[in-house]
Amino acid sequence: MSAQSRSAPAARADDGSRAPLRAAGAPVAKVIPLTRTRAVRGTFDYRLPRSGAESDDDPRIGIGSILRVPFGGRSAFGVVIDLAGHSELPPDRLAEPDAVLGSSIPAELVSLAAWMATEYCSTPARALGLVLPPGTLEGVRARRALVAELTEPGAGALTDAAARLTDGQRGLLERLQASGPRVAAELGTAALRRLESRGLVRLSHRERPRRPQDHAVGSVSAVSPALTGDQHAALQPILRALEGAERPPETFLLQGVTGSGKTEVYLQAVAATLAAGRSAIVLVPEIALTPQVLGRFQARFGDVVAVLHSALSVGERHDEWQRLRRGQARVCVGPRSAVFAPVVDLGLVIVDEEHESSYKHEGDPRYDARHVARERARAAGAVLVAGSATPRPESVVTGRRLRLPERIDGGAMPAVEVLDMRGRHHPLHPETRLALADLRRAGGKAIVMLNRRGWSNFLCCRSCGRVWVCPNCEVALVLHRGRTARSASGPARADPEGAAGLSGLIACHHCGHREPVPSRCGSCGSVSVARHGAGTERIEHELRDALGGDDFPIFRLDADSSGLEQRAATLQRFEQARSGALVGTQMVAKGHDFPDVALGVVLDADQTLRFPDFRAEERTFALVTQLAGRAGRGGDGGRVLVQTLAPDARPLEFARHHDSDGFLADELRRRRALGYPPFASLIRVVCSAEEEPLARRTAQAIADGLEAFDGAVLGPAPLFRLRGRARSQLVIKAADRAGAIAAVGRAVDRVGPGAARVGASVSVDVDPQ
Ligand code: ADP
Ligand code: ZN
Ligand code: ZN
């Protein structure tokens, strides 16, 4: 964007209606058409009609305006990223836009999109797609309704005995007086029209924002408690930074065990931001699983809180976006995409549970909301606060650390016991079974976590050793016992173990491929099929057999147990139950606050360690520590049992002692020695094609085409087939992040189009997870 570009007065953030074109002086708009193709590059010039007299009602064209433009023989949406006095093309070669939409993107977000396009080796059009007002492409508009309100003569008529009113008319006016402006249709439009003609009622078309349903849960309090000494000490530096004492504003890392009062610190920092007339963005991992956090913000701040997430209807998202854009709402709570909330005068960004992998977006651009939040805060002069009980090593080196070392309730951290599973066949250690049986007798709740969905890990022929794998992906198919792989976690099903020993489906967790459980081996004809490993479904079944009953219900929570709503409902039922167990994938360890979970169990804790990934240790530590954070809240410390085949693993040792600092120091040492983030940046380039040689050749061409930068290129290395495509990957380890990103971007631009013509595709992932 050129420095001399002028931004027109803010366009009316409105309803998407088309309005006459007006340019604010500049005759040429530089426009990015919103197309998905990589081949379309750069901006396109459009001629703007000279503006007439300025008026505040008409949308003008400025940076961030959304246009409909003629493009390649059809009409496309485009975003204005700059205005210019003239074009290099002769004016008669330039087309005029067809229309300008009523809503526009704040200039700040247009710049952020440009930054993202570069930072993630994507295209400006795709990055702009992330910051568009919701519903733009679908033509969603503001909802309007005819609204009636009482006029002064109308109010007078109610007290004037001489006023000629029927009983019905008097009743209508009284209702309007009591309620204030009302949607006309609710009271009867025809009758209101007659009153309007006598000047007693005013009828007008008004906007009626669609509001998402409130999440304020009954028990949350609207008043702020007096802070503890630790909370006070953590809040002070944040408040000073908000006052602008620090330039440029600082980024903070709030490190505090679960239940240590981090959310209360966020709430007070947001209150200070609002008092200064600025706005705040609060990022959370997933709204549906953590409604308590949203509920606390809504209870504390009311209507100035807007929420943006994918479970809302597009109309609700559109209207919440507009409330933020107009400054009617000044706090936005939401998952990673809320980092693009169009708030007015951003003063504070909070990233709750900053270790969560859900902050990484898997579409293109593959942005990381934590990294984007940092850039957005920097550009806006806003303060950033990231918080976690298990912060990432990356955040430790970039943020000023603030600490909340103790639980608010003064409760002890639970005792963490490591159980050695070597040589054992039953998925539950005897100690685990004993603890669960004790809990059932005493009454109480347990969370059992296992990072594997389905029934068993894989099927294997007992005679020839064949393993059933997905025909599209080179991974083992996972056994699911329910009628479908997506059955809800309902009441106990009868065990359908049939003659062949098994029934149900085997499913691929990558592409969704499913097939019936085989009754015999296709290679050798044997009918003896063994299942290996246990998944959440199997554990649910085991627990139900061993413990279940009306007084000890077993719940399951994983990606198979239906949609978000249903998962939220499962959590709620578990919360309301007097006792019982919740079985699930790592989802069960996310941000909820059950006061009475006495026992936490991690099955197969080293499963995450076996991933060939430098983050494996960090994940394992976080998983165990986060689960420990759920146990024993609100009273005695509770107990956590960790089953593992690697009882001496370093992350488990640190987790056993609740030693985050020790783990971080050790992990940073290891990462420095190996040249991993935060001491270098990683960029992953994955090339895929139907045939393996083409995928490999494409990756090699990109590797060969890389200009010099400070770092190393690893690969091409084969990856397992995914969704029917062979894959080959390059990993770039770079000390010079910007230089490496630029080099990769240029190499992909050169190689990509030719590769696409022969059926190979290239995707770039900066900071892969
Ligand atoms: P975290 O976000 O670290 O998990 P929370 O902010 O949710 O911790 O605090 C845990 C519990 O303690 C919540 O129920 C919260 O309402 C309560 N709480 C937080 N701060 C205080 C305080 N200063 N005084 C009393 N209760 C508090
Ligand atoms: Zn066989
Ligand atoms: Zn598959």
Side-chain angles (χ1 to χ4, degrees):
M1 233 146 292
S2 68
Q4 72 270 24
S5 67
R6 305 179 35 191
S7 129
R12 190 173 51 157
D14 198 334
D15 55 1
S17 60
R18 311 293 149 81
L21 294 173
R22 273 163 195 277
V28 172
K30 304 220 166 263
V31 173
I32 303 256
L34 299 180
T35 63
R36 296 291 300 166
T37 41
R38 266 190 182 270
V40 174
R41 272 308 171 79
T43 60
F44 292 78
D45 288 358
Y46 287 86
R47 179 163 38 96
L48 300 178
R50 280 275 166 203
S51 65
E54 302 225 329
S55 122
D56 283 342
D57 293 342
D58 289 343
R60 316 264 168 67
I61 295 176
I63 291 176
S65 290
I66 305 165
L67 310 178
R68 277 221 84 109
V69 290
F71 184 74
R74 56 193 182 90
S75 173
F77 284 104
V79 176
V80 178
I81 61 154
D82 207 355
L83 296 174
H86 62 90
S87 171
E88 280 163 17
L89 295 169
D92 58 329
R93 295 261 319 270
L94 297 183
E96 273 188 24
D98 298 324
V100 52
L101 304 201
S103 47
S104 64
I105 304 168
E108 174 198 358
L109 291 178
V110 174
S111 313
L112 188 70
W115 174 86
M116 273 196 296
T118 309
E119 185 73 6
Y120 294 103
C121 295
S122 182
T123 66
R126 289 179 195 191
L128 283 168
L130 294 172
V131 300
L132 276 183
T136 302
L137 305 181
E138 298 94 326
V140 173
R141 303 189 172 196
R143 185 175 63 170
R144 289 174 174 277
L146 191 65
V147 171
E149 70 186 314
L150 204 60
T151 59
E152 244 176 69
L158 279 175
T159 54
D160 181 358
R164 288 177 299 106
L165 293 173
T166 67
D167 287 351
Q169 287 174 328
R170 179 171 296 279
L172 268 182
L173 293 179
E174 279 168 351
R175 283 170 72 186
L176 274 181
Q177 188 172 45
S179 70
R182 282 278 290 273
V183 173
E186 291 170 7
L187 299 177
T189 308
L192 288 167
R193 285 278 182 216
R194 283 191 288 280
L195 291 169
E196 184 196 25
S197 67
R198 292 168 58 186
L200 305 179
V201 159
R202 185 166 30 246
L203 288 170
S204 55
H205 284 275
R206 292 198 198 166
E207 264 182 46
R208 294 212 313 133
R210 290 155 281 215
R211 297 295 307 278
Q213 157 202 352
D214 239 4
H215 280 76
V217 247
S219 59
V220 286
S221 155
V223 293
S224 33
L227 293 185
T228 64
D230 286 335
Q231 284 173 320
H232 188 78
L235 183 63
Q236 286 318 304
I238 299 173
L239 295 184
R240 272 199 305 279
L242 284 171
E243 282 161 13
E246 322 284 344
R247 284 280 163 218
E250 268 190 277
T251 67
F252 296 96
L253 174 63
L254 182 57
Q255 183 180 348
V257 298
T258 318
S260 60
K262 295 186 291 298
T263 309
E264 190 55 44
V265 172
Y266 305 149
L267 285 161
Q268 305 236 355
V270 168
T273 306
L274 291 175
R278 303 183 78 183
S279 298
I281 293 175
V282 181
L283 299 180
V284 297
E286 196 177 308
I287 291 273
L289 294 180
T290 54
Q292 294 92 336
V293 177
L294 175 59
R296 281 168 76 181
F297 278 85
Q298 286 176 330
R300 189 73 55 88
F301 302 115
D303 267 359
V304 304
V305 177
V307 42
L308 284 177
H309 61 88
S310 58
L312 302 181
S313 73
V314 65
E316 288 168 335
R317 274 183 288 138
H318 170 274
D319 291 359
E320 287 290 86
W321 197 93
Q322 297 293 0
R323 288 208 308 130
L324 289 161
R325 175 83 166 102
R326 295 169 182 169
Q328 293 161 340
R330 302 193 75 97
V331 180
C332 182
V333 182
R336 61 173 179 257
S337 59
V339 76
F340 307 121
V343 297
V344 177
D345 193 4
L346 180 66
L348 174 68
V349 185
I350 285 167
V351 185
D352 188 22
E353 308 284 356
E354 72 95 27
H355 61 279
E356 281 285 344
S357 56
S358 63
Y359 285 121
K360 176 81 179 178
H361 182 63
E362 294 305 336
D364 181 3
R366 294 176 165 267
Y367 72 88
D368 186 322
R370 297 164 288 202
H371 188 56
V372 177
R374 185 174 297 274
E375 169 60 19
R376 187 158 183 208
R378 189 202 59 75
V383 174
L384 181 95
V385 181
S388 174
T390 53
R392 296 173 304 152
E394 284 91 330
S395 307
V396 170
V397 297
T398 47
R400 171 166 162 200
R401 241 190 300 185
L402 309 168
R403 289 168 193 279
L404 295 176
E406 279 161 27
R407 287 182 170 184
I408 286 284
D409 58 20
M413 293 305 286
V416 176
E417 297 156 53
V418 175
L419 303 175
D420 189 348
M421 291 298 282
R422 284 173 296 188
R424 296 194 178 276
H425 294 295
H426 195 281
L428 299 175
H429 193 280
E431 194 68 32
T432 305
R433 276 179 278 174
L434 212 61
L436 283 163
D438 282 350
L439 184 72
R440 190 210 158 133
R441 222 167 300 121
K445 291 185 207 173
I447 293 182
V448 180
M449 180 169 74
L450 168 62
N451 238 336
R452 192 186 302 125
R453 293 187 279 132
W455 184 268
S456 70
N457 205 8
F458 60 95
L459 297 184
C460 173
C461 170
R462 284 191 208 273
S463 314
C464 74
R466 168 194 165 161
V467 171
W468 272 261
V469 296
C470 175
N472 311 317
C473 316
E474 283 165 357
V475 296
L477 292 169
V478 176
L479 177 66
H480 289 251
R481 297 297 296 281
R483 199 176 298 285
T484 69
R486 289 213 161 261
S487 76
S489 97
R493 286 178 291 270
D495 183 1
E497 196 129 356
L502 301 169
S503 69
L505 288 166
I506 47 180
C508 172
H509 285 180
H510 285 284
C511 73
H513 166 89
R514 292 173 205 181
E515 54 185 82
V517 167
S519 52
R520 60 175 62 238
C521 171
S523 307
C524 74
S526 160
V527 292
S528 179
V529 176
R531 50 196 192 200
H532 289 275
T536 45
E537 235 186 289
R538 162 110 189 262
I539 298 298
E540 176 194 16
H541 192 87
E542 292 279 344
L543 293 180
R544 200 165 274 153
D545 269 0
L547 311 159
D550 289 344
D551 54 343
F552 201 82
I554 312 289
F555 304 95
R556 177 161 62 90
L557 193 75
D558 57 31
D560 289 329
S561 52
S562 254
L564 281 181
E565 294 291 317
Q566 226 146 330
R567 281 182 236 162
T570 302
L571 274 177
Q572 206 169 19
R573 279 192 294 145
F574 178 60
E575 196 177 352
Q576 284 159 0
R578 274 188 304 108
S579 63
L582 177 68
V583 182
T585 51
Q586 53 180 314
M587 227 177 258
V588 298
K590 296 198 172 158
H592 23 78
D593 183 8
F594 308 124
D596 48 358
V597 173
L599 176 65
V601 181
V602 188
L603 305 181
D604 203 1
D606 46 294
Q607 194 237 350
T608 44
L609 277 178
R610 292 195 294 265
F611 275 114
D613 174 1
F614 76 95
R615 281 188 226 276
E617 317 244 312
E618 174 190 336
R619 267 199 209 110
T620 305
F621 177 79
L623 219 55
V624 174
T625 305
Q626 292 290 339
L627 185 66
R630 315 291 138 202
R633 281 184 155 198
D636 69 80
R639 190 174 176 206
V640 176
L641 303 175
V642 181
Q643 297 189 177
T644 175
L645 291 169
D648 303 322
R650 216 172 41 99
L652 296 182
E653 194 55 27
F654 284 114
R656 214 155 62 80
H657 296 104
H658 308 287
D659 187 3
S660 282
D661 285 345
F663 174 75
L664 283 167
D666 196 53
E667 185 65 12
L668 282 168
R669 236 187 337 267
R670 192 178 73 95
R671 300 249 186 123
R672 189 192 294 277
L674 297 173
Y676 277 124
F679 303 103
S681 293
L682 296 187
I683 305 171
R684 196 166 90 117
V685 180
V686 177
C687 302
S688 72
E690 229 146 88
E691 302 302 332
E692 194 276 334
L694 177 57
R696 184 167 29 86
R697 273 204 314 276
T698 307
Q700 189 62 55
I702 290 172
D704 294 343
L706 283 173
E707 296 151 27
F709 64 92
D710 183 6
V713 183
L714 313 175
L719 287 180
F720 66 85
R721 279 183 93 86
L722 192 63
R723 297 180 185 91
R725 291 174 71 83
R727 299 182 304 155
S728 178
Q729 111 172 331
L730 297 174
V731 173
I732 288 102
K733 248 188 193 181
D736 169 18
R737 178 186 175 89
I741 288 173
V744 170
R746 280 192 295 266
V748 170
D749 281 349
R750 267 196 308 274
V751 173
R757 277 193 294 277
V758 293
S761 55
V762 180
S763 87
V764 180
D765 192 353
V766 178
D767 304 328
Q769 287 296 302

